[in-house]
Amino acid sequence: GRSFRPSEAGQMLYKYARGIFAMERAAVEAVQAYSELERGGLTIGASSTIAAYWLPRYIADFSQRYPGIAVRLLSGNTQRVAQWLLDCDVDVALVEGPITDERLEVRPWQRETLLVIAAANARLAGRKSLRVADLADELWLLREPGSGSREVVEGELSRLGITPQRRLEAGSNEIIVQMAAAGLGIAIVPEVAAADSLALGRIVALELEAGPLSRDLYRLRLPRRPQSQGALAFEAMIG
């Protein structure tokens, strides 16, 4: 009367119960690992300039802090990044131009300096306080339609009262900088994209009578879409 022995059916139930409780512990540990950022994935979508110049140091810091999170970076123009977010193909979205899609929440993220650049041996190089009239007849190098940079540059040109009579389109700010260095024309580009060529003396920044130029960079969110712990941690890191 002081002991008992399970029946054959009871022994079978005990074996299954042990397996069930082991799976439960494994499931809890796996979920906890994800919630504590020990494993998982993070996909970032960013406009080309942000992807090339702003994000590498943030991604390096994030990967060092959370080595178990696999980070994937997708780069495209502003419209494409916005569509990736709408399609839930990315967890974090950062763009260079304003977005008016009512389905998206748009917040300013950083302020970026813009430069008007030309070849070091260009006709306008070295001249001080250039007027709008000095720029009107130049060939302007512009990004492709759909690019946030293109929209910003066209807005700045309109504000300055410049209507380019001649223009040439290219698919990235890096290509535009190289075209400017080759003497093809002038352009408005982010300072970070022009820094190397400026340091090498291949291009110069033109000084405008109207003063310095700048633009906002934006963070996009999809309202009511739950964010992963990895996305929340990365957004907290980039400020």
Side-chain angles (χ1 to χ4, degrees):
R2 294 174 180 261
S3 64
F4 69 91
R5 181 185 300 274
S7 65
E8 186 174 350
Q11 292 179 23
M12 183 64 67
L13 176 61
Y14 175 68
K15 290 180 181 179
Y16 277 106
R18 287 188 61 183
I20 291 171
F21 286 122
M23 289 179 64
E24 180 189 21
R25 286 195 302 273
V28 170
E29 290 171 359
V31 171
Q32 187 175 21
Y34 277 96
S35 65
E36 294 177 356
L37 298 175
E38 293 178 3
R39 66 181 70 177
L42 173 67
T43 302
I44 304 166
S47 298
S48 55
T49 300
I50 296 176
Y53 298 102
W54 286 85
L55 288 184
R57 64 186 179 92
Y58 287 119
I59 293 175
D61 290 344
F62 183 86
S63 296
Q64 185 174 8
R65 188 176 302 182
Y66 307 110
I69 303 295
V71 180
R72 182 181 179 218
L73 176 60
L74 302 180
S75 175
N77 65 35
T78 293
Q79 294 298 330
R80 191 172 185 185
V81 173
Q83 191 59 53
W84 283 336
L85 183 61
L86 288 169
D87 293 339
C88 296
D89 291 331
V90 298
D91 304 304
V92 176
L94 301 165
V95 297
E96 301 164 15
I99 289 287
T100 57
D101 194 315
E102 62 183 12
R103 295 171 293 176
L104 296 173
E105 177 184 300
V106 183
R107 297 182 182 180
W109 174 51
Q110 299 281 358
R111 190 75 178 167
E112 179 173 67
T113 300
L114 299 174
L115 300 177
V116 181
I117 62 168
N121 60 354
R123 177 178 61 86
L124 299 177
R127 294 177 58 179
K128 301 294 184 181
S129 298
L130 292 168
R131 298 170 300 169
V132 169
D134 298 321
L135 306 175
D137 295 331
E138 296 294 319
L139 172 65
W140 282 88
L141 309 172
L142 302 173
R143 286 288 303 276
E144 79 285 0
S147 162
S149 291
R150 169 69 172 262
E151 189 170 347
V152 168
V153 168
E154 287 184 333
E156 289 298 316
L157 291 175
S158 177
R159 183 180 66 83
L160 294 170
I162 299 173
T163 303
Q165 300 303 310
R166 298 185 297 151
R167 59 181 65 192
L168 192 157
E169 294 180 358
S172 74
N173 286 318
E174 291 75 12
I175 295 174
I176 287 176
V177 170
Q178 297 304 316
M179 287 181 169
L184 281 174
I186 64 176
I188 298 176
V189 298
E191 183 179 25
V192 292
D196 289 345
S197 290
L198 282 170
L200 292 171
R202 302 182 66 238
I203 60 172
V204 294
L206 303 179
E207 182 182 327
L208 301 185
E209 188 178 61
L213 308 178
S214 63
R215 68 172 177 179
D216 283 320
L217 305 178
Y218 299 91
R219 177 188 304 176
L220 306 182
R221 282 183 176 168
L222 193 58
R224 296 180 296 277
R225 177 190 174 186
Q227 287 190 286
S228 68
Q229 291 297 315
L232 291 172
F234 187 79
E235 289 201 349
M237 178 176 289
I238 65 177

